[in-house]
Amino acid sequence: MLRFLIKRLLLAATTLVAISIVTFLLFFAVPSSPAWTQCGRNCSPERIAQVEQSLGLDQPITKQYTDFVKGVFVGRTIDDAGTIRECTAPCLGYSFRSKEPVTDTIERSLPVTISIVAGAMVVFLTVGIGLGMLAALKKGTVFDRVAIGASVGFASTQTYTLGGVLLLLLVYSTGILPNPHYTPLTENPLDWAGGMLLPWITLGLINSALYARLSRAQMIETLQEDFVRTARAKGLSPRVVNRRHALRAAITPIITIAGVDLGAYLGGVVITESVFSLNGIGREAAQAVSDLNLPLVMATVLLAAFFIVAMNIIVDMLYAVIDPRVRLG
Amino acid sequence: MTTSTSPAAAAVDPEAYLQVRDLKVQFPTEDGLVRAVDGVSFSVRRGQTLGIVGESGSGKSVTSMSILGLHNPARTKISGEISIGGQNIVGMKEEKIQKLRGKDVAMIFQDPLSALHPYYKVGAQIAEAYKVHHPSASKKEASTRAVDMLNRVGIPQPQRRANQYPHEFSGGMRQRAMIAMALVNDPALVIADEPTTALDVTVQAQILELLEDLQREFQSAIIMITHDLGVVSQVADDVLVMYAGRPVETGSVEQIMKRPQHPYTWGLLASVPSLHGDANVDLVPIKGNPPSLINLPTGCSFNPRCRYAGQNGNRSFSEVPELRPAGEDGHNVACHMSFETRQRLYAEDIAHAGVAQ
Ligand SMILES: Nc1ncnc2c1ncn2[C@@H]1O[C@H](COP(=O)(O)OP(=O)(O)O)[C@@H](O)[C@H]1O
Ligand code: SF4
Ligand SMILES: [Mg+2]
């Protein structure tokens, strides 16, 4: 277990370093300069050089990269056009655009994304897995067909279509739900939930559809396993057979997928955030890319990569806990 | 043991624990009606072993699943009678059959690795089988009973083994654990569906011996399902040979092994390595494959593979042979050839090969 963890952590660190280097290189490979986005199209070359200097972009790439790494671990001083700023570790630099520390941007936007994802996940894990499992147990019945039909429908819907329609129906025309907004959970839990309901429903439903189909397929396969037949042959009731024997085995791969999905979503749910105008990490990242806002791009990319890598390690460990046949190493 | 295709002719053995009469099991599928079992009758007494033999796909497992009432009633048509200790379970309510399953009738499956749950400890799985039929037993009693059973089936260090998962057992030990689970409630009838097929020969012999020992101890009736006449000759008292869902020959193990009458049984015998271990005897597998159970050949369903199908004019192709007395008491065969012809052909063509030696 410990060996596995050390191995995976080393691998994770290497991955993150590699990703940070690639992002850096890609950024400089783009035939455009953040300075242009800062001072407009008719900017004089002198002005551009000035801006670039103030952003530190006049330095060699290697120097910029090592500065960045140094900032993350020990902090650094940044000379912004004469203003000397002390950036303490973990320093991710200052946003080219808003000039605020990138860590502040992250601190502000990450809770929004986490709120969206957490609620949506509760929706799609319960509704999706629940419906899928039920459909599998009632395979071939009307219930099964309706559930599968609905899930095919929802799964082929795009977030912005469903989100837009729901927004129109539930907010603009009827006012059943409040306009999506973010209030910190600690400030006002009710308002937090109220503002998040629509994104939860939208992201939740679309993913429920996927998870329902996945769970159904998984459960149908598991119900045909020999060990399920053994459980029935013991004289166990269908309830016990389904729950203790079939469900337990069928749900394992789904938990894995959910964990991986969670890792991917925590890095930002761009479309959901955009549709509902919520300033989560995904929106910040998209904006940073179009602004060529290097420090924020680096931060959001690395954060997304971190979540994915971390969830993968957690999922692998979880798998070993659930399935005794899995040996870590 | 008595067998017949017509229910009227199926004599009732009052001492039988299990009595199956004219069992038919059909699965309606998109491709058509699968006649997996088509009129099988047999009976087993406590302390006796019935071997059911046939190639894969001949309906053996479907038959055994019927005895446990494990077919999905919504997708299966079952007719006939399966009487267990005097109760007919065909059409019986699920809740009632549940009380029999694992208690009066238990099953040992072919591949113990896939038949045991990968996530639960072996001891816990056996304890669960005990507890479901002994609801008043404490957890502790159930797990003590599980360790006891592991010990009974010859698993060393049963206490430690009970705490391990199936994948930590060897194939032979796993099958012993499966047997322990099947016997935990002292069932009157044990169905073993190819219990040794996944095991190597040495382990196979040990498992068969174990089953015989346990049968002596518990006086249970055993149905040994196998495609291997070698296994049958070792453990069975009576034998039912099935082909394409139908019984083709029944009799005592002596009759089937020494004086077989059906060309299909001859084929099975010729394709088994000699029990005396003579590796020089050529094995003659039966040519061709079992037919589709949706479209059985008309007449005798064995006719496309039978060397003697032309012996009786057109009858093999037009008329389904009934199971009829084959001479000796209790010996029945479903073939149009006359007794004399069968005797002659057996002596001339078959008696020299395989197990028959
Ligand atoms: N649930 C089912 N639906 C349709 N066909 C089935 C079903 N179960 C078994 N069969 C068919 O019945 C036939 C007999 O199967 P089985 O009893 O498993 O054979 P055996 O155990 O002798 O190898 C096979 O052709 C199999 O495909
Ligand atoms: S009835 Fe005809 S085809 Fe069938 S086993 Fe006898 S000889 Fe062969
Ligand atoms: Mg079988």
Side-chain angles (χ1 to χ4, degrees):
Chain A
M1 187 68 158
L2 191 67
R3 247 192 60 159
F4 163 85
L5 205 58
I6 292 170
K7 224 166 83 181
R8 289 297 297 269
L9 287 177
L10 283 176
L11 188 64
T14 319
T15 311
L16 291 180
V17 169
I19 287 174
S20 69
I21 293 174
V22 170
T23 314
F24 231 80
L25 292 176
L26 274 178
F27 183 82
F28 286 102
V30 176
S32 170
S33 165
W36 295 352
T37 54
Q38 301 253 317
C39 78
R41 290 216 191 291
N42 312 322
C43 215
S44 68
E46 297 77 43
R47 176 82 188 109
I48 288 202
Q50 215 179 341
V51 174
E52 287 196 335
Q53 196 197 348
S54 80
L55 297 177
L57 293 169
D58 55 334
Q59 307 278 342
I61 298 182
T62 43
K63 170 92 172 43
Q64 290 188 46
Y65 182 73
T66 47
D67 278 351
F68 171 79
V69 174
K70 183 173 160 257
V72 172
F73 291 104
V74 293
R76 61 177 163 141
T77 16
I78 292 171
D79 175 358
D80 181 3
T83 333
I84 304 290
R85 301 211 220 180
E86 209 44 63
C87 182
T88 52
C91 169
L92 295 168
Y94 287 90
S95 167
F96 285 177
R97 195 181 152 97
S98 65
K99 302 294 175 198
E100 72 174 342
V102 167
T103 39
D104 287 3
T105 318
I106 303 285
E107 253 172 65
R108 183 159 29 80
S109 55
L110 190 56
V112 179
T113 299
I114 292 177
S115 301
I116 299 173
V117 172
M121 197 126 178
V122 170
V123 172
F124 70 72
L125 288 185
T126 50
V127 176
I129 295 179
L131 280 183
M133 294 294 171
L134 267 180
L137 291 175
K138 296 176 186 286
K139 189 180 144 207
T141 62
V142 178
F143 174 86
D144 179 32
R145 281 181 206 159
V146 171
I148 285 313
S151 82
V152 170
F154 277 116
S156 56
T157 317
Q158 300 296 326
T159 309
Y160 50 82
T161 329
L162 182 64
V165 169
L166 289 179
L167 202 56
L168 201 66
L169 281 179
L170 299 178
V171 180
Y172 299 151
S173 51
T174 59
I176 295 174
L177 289 182
N179 213 350
H181 58 272
Y182 176 71
T183 313
L185 173 65
T186 44
E187 222 166 78
N188 183 344
L190 258 167
D191 199 34
W192 170 77
M196 286 291 149
L197 267 177
L198 210 47
W200 288 346
I201 293 170
T202 309
L203 195 59
L205 278 184
I206 286 178
N207 278 290
S208 291
L210 296 169
Y211 275 80
R213 285 197 294 174
L214 198 69
S215 317
R216 178 179 180 272
Q218 198 62 46
M219 186 68 167
I220 285 174
E221 202 184 306
T222 309
L223 285 170
Q224 282 156 4
E225 292 277 1
D226 286 358
F227 60 76
V228 172
R229 185 187 53 188
T230 306
R232 297 180 60 214
K234 283 177 175 181
L236 298 172
S237 69
R239 208 184 146 82
V240 175
V241 172
N242 292 339
R243 292 194 180 190
R244 204 186 294 162
H245 291 261
L247 188 66
R248 173 84 198 269
I251 210 157
T252 311
I254 296 169
I255 290 178
T256 312
I257 293 168
V260 173
D261 273 358
L262 175 64
Y265 286 151
L266 284 176
V269 273
V270 184
I271 298 171
T272 311
E273 292 168 17
S274 306
V275 171
F276 300 113
S277 313
L278 294 165
N279 289 318
I281 199 97
R283 253 188 133 193
E284 292 289 357
Q287 188 64 47
V289 169
S290 72
D291 289 347
L292 295 175
N293 187 347
L294 178 62
L296 194 51
V297 170
M298 284 297 282
T300 49
V301 166
L302 283 178
L303 198 65
F306 167 80
F307 282 130
I308 289 169
V309 166
M311 279 317 296
N312 269 298
I313 297 178
I314 291 174
V315 156
D316 282 351
M317 293 200 305
L318 205 62
Y319 216 125
V321 171
I322 301 175
D323 187 341
R325 289 168 303 180
V326 176
R327 294 220 147 270
L328 296 177
Chain B
M1 200 204 76
T2 350
T3 314
S4 169
T5 43
S6 73
V12 177
D13 176 358
E15 281 177 56
Y17 180 73
L18 171 75
Q19 178 98 46
V20 172
R21 277 196 291 169
D22 199 29
L23 177 67
K24 289 186 180 160
V25 184
Q26 304 176 336
F27 305 105
T29 67
E30 282 170 16
D31 303 323
L33 190 65
V34 178
R35 292 170 212 273
V37 178
D38 199 23
V40 174
S41 305
F42 55 84
S43 61
V44 205
R45 293 181 185 183
R46 292 197 72 153
Q48 296 279 301
T49 300
L50 167 70
I52 302 184
V53 205
E55 288 163 294
S56 117
S58 47
K60 308 183 299 290
S61 294
V62 170
T63 304
S64 63
M65 299 268 285
S66 313
I67 300 171
L68 279 167
L70 283 177
H71 293 299
N72 181 346
R75 267 175 260 145
T76 319
K77 287 204 249 176
I78 301 189
S79 68
E81 183 189 322
I82 300 171
S83 157
I84 297 172
Q87 296 184 76
N88 183 11
I89 66 146
V90 174
M92 190 188 264
K93 271 218 189 100
E94 168 68 22
E95 295 81 47
K96 257 186 106 182
I97 303 181
Q98 263 171 44
K99 296 214 161 61
L100 297 175
R101 273 187 213 135
K103 184 163 179 289
D104 298 297
V105 189
M107 186 118 170
I108 299 165
F109 295 102
Q110 172 173 347
D111 179 3
L113 183 57
S114 59
L116 289 167
H117 201 296
Y119 295 176
Y120 296 110
K121 289 175 179 166
V122 170
Q125 298 192 45
I126 299 173
E128 184 186 39
Y130 182 72
K131 200 139 186 342
V132 64
H133 295 296
H134 298 84
S136 57
S138 71
K139 256 195 155 155
K140 177 124 194 352
E141 281 164 350
S143 58
T144 310
R145 171 87 182 160
V147 173
D148 245 29
M149 286 311 295
L150 287 175
N151 191 29
R152 290 273 267 290
V153 298
I155 291 182
Q157 295 183 275
Q159 187 82 52
R160 187 174 70 85
R161 288 304 209 150
N163 265 316
Q164 290 184 332
Y165 292 97
H167 73 271
E168 297 174 279
F169 280 51
S170 68
M173 285 297 148
R174 233 170 354 235
Q175 194 54 291
R176 283 174 193 265
M178 190 83 218
I179 293 171
M181 188 159 92
L183 298 184
V184 73
N185 295 311
D186 296 334
L189 170 64
V190 176
I191 305 171
D193 192 347
E194 314 232 12
T196 57
T197 305
L199 306 173
D200 68 54
V201 186
T202 333
V203 182
Q204 166 170 330
Q206 290 167 0
I207 295 289
L208 293 180
E209 229 163 82
L210 171 69
L211 277 173
E212 283 192 293
D213 288 348
L214 293 168
Q215 178 175 39
R216 264 192 296 277
E217 193 179 333
F218 294 98
Q219 276 303 301
S220 43
I222 293 183
I223 296 179
M224 173 65 67
I225 291 177
T226 174
H227 60 264
D228 183 350
L229 272 174
V231 169
V232 161
S233 71
Q234 213 172 323
V235 299
D237 300 299
D238 298 306
V239 183
L240 161 66
V241 183
M242 279 180 77
Y243 183 73
R246 291 184 184 144
V248 294
E249 185 165 6
T250 71
S252 69
V253 69
E254 157 101 12
Q255 288 163 342
I256 301 291
M257 302 302 291
K258 299 278 190 241
R259 297 178 293 284
Q261 302 260 324
H262 196 282
Y264 179 62
T265 316
W266 297 345
L268 287 178
L269 279 164
S271 59
V272 175
S274 163
L275 286 187
H276 311 294
D278 187 349
N280 296 323
V281 175
D282 280 342
L283 300 184
V284 193
I286 306 171
K287 64 177 167 40
N289 291 307
S292 148
L293 297 178
I294 296 174
N295 282 308
L296 282 179
T298 47
C300 172
S301 28
F302 189 54
N303 72 44
R305 303 171 73 188
C306 183
R307 285 159 73 182
Y308 313 107
Q311 295 263 342
N312 320 280
N314 202 37
R315 278 183 81 195
S316 293
F317 302 97
S318 58
E319 194 185 322
V320 179
E322 293 263 317
L323 203 56
R324 284 181 220 286
E328 289 176 43
D329 201 24
H331 195 176
N332 297 280
V333 65
C335 174
H336 289 310
M337 288 190 287
S338 69
F339 178 68
E340 291 71 26
T341 318
R342 292 194 302 253
Q343 294 285 81
R344 181 174 51 79
L345 290 173
Y346 179 66
E348 284 171 6
D349 295 358
I350 311 297
H352 62 278
V355 189
Q357 278 208 325

